[in-house]
Structures are given as structure tokens and as C-alpha cells.
Amino acid sequence: MNFPTLPGHHRPLLEIPKLRREVKPLRLGTLSIDPPIFQAPMAGFTNYVYRQIVREFGGVGLQATEMISAEGFVHQVGGLKGTVERLWGVESEPRPLAVQMWDNDPDTLAEVGRRLAFDYRISVVDLNFGCPVRKVSEKAHSGSYLLKNPSRVGEIVSKVVKACAPTPVTAKIRLGCTLTCITAKEVAHVIEESGAALMTVHGRVAEQFFTGSADWDKIGEIKASLKHMPLVGNGDLDCPSKVVEAFNRYEVDGVMIARAALGKPWLFKQAAQALKGEVPMPEPSLAEQKDLLLRHHKAIVERFGEERGNMLMRKYSCCYAQGRSGASKFRAHASRCSTSAEFVAIVETWFPTDADIHPD
Ligand SMILES: Cc1cc2nc3c(=O)[nH]c(=O)nc-3n(C[C@H](O)[C@H](O)[C@H](O)COP(=O)(O)O)c2cc1C
């Protein structure tokens, strides 16, 4: 499975540090993001079913869909993996909810933003300036590719803000395209001056994909250089302690969590409790996690059908088992599974039962 894992030296910090400042809800116009903990957009993962499971545990101030292509939205293309598919459930889902989109054409993005804001009535329109995937960056000159072109970023943000008002428009960036071309500060200022309500920074450059560690010092420097726009820090947060440390050390206004919460959808709740100075809820027992995985499977198959649902569950299964003793055996079986009957049998037989954390 080629899903990127958190770097090995990023072990969860077991002790929760004391929160050294007050963490306030984030206000974007009339919207209150409380707590200021964001569920990241993740293509192929943060679909309706995942969002619902996260919502059940709670602790998230703002949830996001999978990223959509603005061009795909206009032309309604992309079949099963396309835009329409990715927006399934959005119209009737509880708010607040953000939809993220990518393209490099300000007018296309403004038109799609307007429709998301007024037809779908979503809470926040988010712009992607961080995607490192070739299809989006090198081929379509969008996502992280635009970090080389701050003036185009400014044009996009201005037009989308105008088209969506009063719905808040936010942006998500990486530090730059390459380690020798870090443009995040310049881009951040343009985003702020162009009227974005908030910006998220993932502390890596595009060429790193998910290697190395997120550079939180750089995130802190960008925050210190902004005039008024709130900044959300993102990268490698995999336990409540690291969330508290992000607020303590880097003055961020919010945090965003992605990979670590795929197999631990309760992480947001734990982080929210830690930010209130409460003891975070214990992880569900492995038996409860197994039941959750089976429930996740049932909902995914109901939503996507037997064939695609079971394909999708291969990815989630690996996330649920990650870091557990016996995970590799479970993964080997789950990653070949193609029917629901097989899936249930594999989970019943191979889902880790040993509570020891073991990175196999
Ligand atoms: C499978 C996968 C899909 C992702 N899709 C998106 C996306 O659609 N839009 C986006 O802005 N970031 C996307 N990201 C990046 C995450 O939102 C986040 O910035 C990154 O994973 C770092 O956070 P983490 O260390 O908490 O995982 C994706 C990441 C992964 C692993």
C-alpha cells in the first residue's frame, strides 16, 4: 500500500503539556469555528461516510470534503471519481462544511465558488495551492505549481472572494515548490491582501510530498508576519499533545489534522478535550475499533456499492490497523479483499487484538 505514513521518529507524545495560552474559537464572518481544529481535505478519503464517522466522535470545528476540480465541476466530468461523486451528500449534510477546489483560472474558480456558496450553501470555499500531484501541479499548472506565481494566486483569491461573498474563502498552501524555492511568506501576504478569511499552511514543500518532517518553525514565521488573517498550522499532528504544543509554541490560530485521523477518527475529540485542559478520552478498545471498522465498511458499501466499496475499504483498513501488533498480517489480507463476506471474515480473524503499539 503506497499510502504515506507519518515519519517513524514521530512517536505520539504520551504526556499532555500544559496549555500556555487561551485557544479561542475562530470567527470567519458569522461563522464560528469552535474548536479551531480542522479536518483536512484528503482526496480519495474524506468522503461523506468518513465525515459522518468523524462527526459522531466530535471535536472538529470545520470539516472538509475531498478536493474537487473546478473544471470538472463545470463540465460534470470524471465519472465515479469525479466532482459530482465527490460532492455526494454535501447539500444535506450538517454544517459547517468546507469544499476545496483546484484550477488555475480565476474566472472558472469564481464561477464554481459562487455555485458552491449559493446553490450548495456550503459554509466555506477553500482554494488549493498545495497539491503536489503531477496531474494537478505540473500538468494543469494548478495546486502547488501556483506557489511560483503569487500574482496569479492573488488574482484567483480576489475573484473568488468577490464571487462568494459573504461566504468566507480560505486557502491552503505548502511552503513552496522546492526546498530551494520557499515562497510561502510572499504567497501568504498576497492571500491576506486579496481578502481570504484564513489560510492553512502545510509545513512541507511540494517536492517532499510526505517525506521528512513538517517545518513548524517556518509555519510560526509566516504566522508572525501576517497582519490580521488567521493561520492554521498543518503537518504531522498525530496526538493531542502535539496539538497542544502547536498552540503553545507557534502562535497558530488553529490546527489541521489529516493522515493520523484516518484510522483514529476520535483524535479530533481527544485534541479538543486537551485544548480545554481536560483529560482526553481513552482510545476505544480494539474490540470497539473493530466494530467501528465493520460499521465503516457497511456504510461505505451502502454508499459506493459492493465492488468499489470493498476496494475503498482496503485503504481505510490499513489506516485502522496502523501501528498495531499484527497490523502487517491484517493488511496483507485486507488489501486483497474484494467482497463484503470476505472483508468481514478477514476483520474477524486478523484485526489486531494485541493492544501493544507495534510499528510493523
Ligand atoms: C491521501 C491524501 C490525500 C490528500 N488530499 C488533499 C486534498 O485533496 N487537498 C489538500 O489540500 N490536501 C490534501 N492532502 C494533504 C493533507 O490535507 C495534509 O495537508 C497533509 O497530509 C499533512 O497533514 P498530516 O501530516 O496531518 O497528514 C492529502 C493528503 C493525503 C495523505
Side-chain angles (χ1 to χ4, degrees):
M1 159 117 161
N2 55 9
F3 176 71
T5 51
L6 291 161
H9 58 276
H10 275 268
R11 289 272 162 271
L13 301 174
L14 295 177
E15 203 156 310
I16 312 265
K18 197 170 155 38
L19 188 64
R20 291 198 296 270
R21 67 184 174 96
E22 192 192 353
V23 173
K24 296 189 199 128
L26 258 167
R27 282 211 82 85
L28 306 186
T30 55
L31 180 68
S32 173
I33 299 179
D34 183 15
I37 301 177
F38 293 65
Q39 173 241 295
M42 273 183 284
F45 283 92
T46 53
N47 53 41
Y48 179 78
V49 174
Y50 176 75
R51 298 195 297 272
Q52 205 165 343
I53 286 176
V54 167
R55 199 172 293 119
E56 278 175 27
F57 283 100
V60 185
L62 183 64
Q63 296 195 257
T65 62
E66 302 174 74
M67 155 180 100
I68 63 165
S69 150
E71 185 74 25
F73 183 95
V74 171
H75 300 294
Q76 304 279 297
V77 293
L80 274 178
K81 290 187 177 165
T83 303
V84 178
E85 177 73 9
R86 286 185 172 190
L87 290 177
W88 195 91
V90 162
E91 275 169 296
S92 56
E93 197 171 341
R95 301 305 191 244
L97 184 67
V99 174
Q100 188 194 58
M101 57 179 178
W102 67 270
D103 202 275
N104 69 1
D105 178 53
D107 293 318
T108 307
L109 287 162
E111 172 55 15
V112 176
R114 189 188 63 73
R115 288 180 58 189
L116 290 171
F118 296 103
D119 300 348
Y120 283 76
R121 308 194 75 77
I122 57 161
S123 329
V124 170
V125 173
D126 188 47
L127 292 164
N128 182 306
F129 300 117
C131 182
V133 173
R134 209 176 126 69
K135 189 180 135 203
V136 173
S137 60
E138 292 305 318
K139 281 200 171 165
H141 292 188
S142 303
S144 63
Y145 189 91
L146 290 167
L147 296 171
K148 291 188 254 191
N149 191 346
S151 65
R152 174 63 74 98
V153 169
E155 207 188 326
I156 290 172
V157 175
S158 300
K159 283 205 171 161
V160 178
V161 167
K162 199 164 162 217
C164 297
T167 303
V169 173
T170 60
K172 182 162 177 279
I173 69 171
R174 285 194 177 218
L175 296 176
C177 290
T178 63
L179 287 166
T180 51
C181 183
I182 300 222
T183 52
K185 235 185 228 176
E186 197 184 342
V187 172
H189 293 155
V190 169
I191 289 174
E192 180 172 47
E193 278 152 25
S194 306
L198 171 149
M199 183 185 68
T200 302
V201 183
H202 172 195
R204 286 185 177 83
V205 296
E207 72 173 355
Q208 286 179 293
F209 278 79
F210 295 93
T211 59
S213 310
D215 187 339
W216 276 84
D217 288 334
K218 288 240 164 30
I219 294 175
E221 281 170 29
I222 298 166
K223 166 64 197 170
S225 74
L226 293 172
K227 291 194 193 96
H228 53 80
M229 181 175 63
L231 183 142
V232 174
N234 167 237
D236 303 341
L237 300 177
D238 59 359
C239 60
S241 317
K242 287 185 190 171
V243 169
V244 170
E245 278 300 86
F247 281 98
N248 276 346
R249 289 197 206 169
Y250 303 103
E251 293 294 321
V252 290
D253 302 287
V255 293
M256 178 179 277
I257 304 177
R259 289 167 295 168
L262 285 175
K264 292 193 280 185
W266 52 86
L267 178 55
F268 300 102
K269 179 71 181 177
Q270 291 179 318
Q273 289 168 322
L275 288 185
K276 282 199 269 179
E278 296 169 6
V279 177
M281 62 175 267
E283 283 210 328
S285 68
L286 282 172
E288 286 165 335
Q289 290 181 37
K290 188 173 88 173
D291 287 347
L292 179 64
L293 176 58
L294 289 171
R295 202 153 58 77
H296 195 152
H297 169 262
K298 190 163 177 280
I300 284 272
V301 169
E302 265 168 29
R303 159 78 191 94
F304 292 97
E306 177 76 5
E307 193 181 339
R308 184 136 181 266
N310 280 297
M311 284 289 286
L312 277 172
M313 280 317 290
R314 294 177 180 183
K315 304 190 287 188
Y316 291 104
S317 303
C318 297
C319 298
Y320 273 85
Q322 197 168 343
R324 300 291 181 193
S325 180
S328 58
K329 272 202 194 104
F330 172 68
R331 210 162 33 223
H333 288 275
S335 63
R336 286 196 298 268
C337 161
S338 51
T339 69
S340 292
E342 233 185 303
F343 183 86
V344 173
I346 287 168
V347 172
E348 293 296 354
T349 313
W350 295 103
F351 190 76
T353 50
D354 184 347
D356 287 345
I357 299 221
H358 189 277
D360 62 359

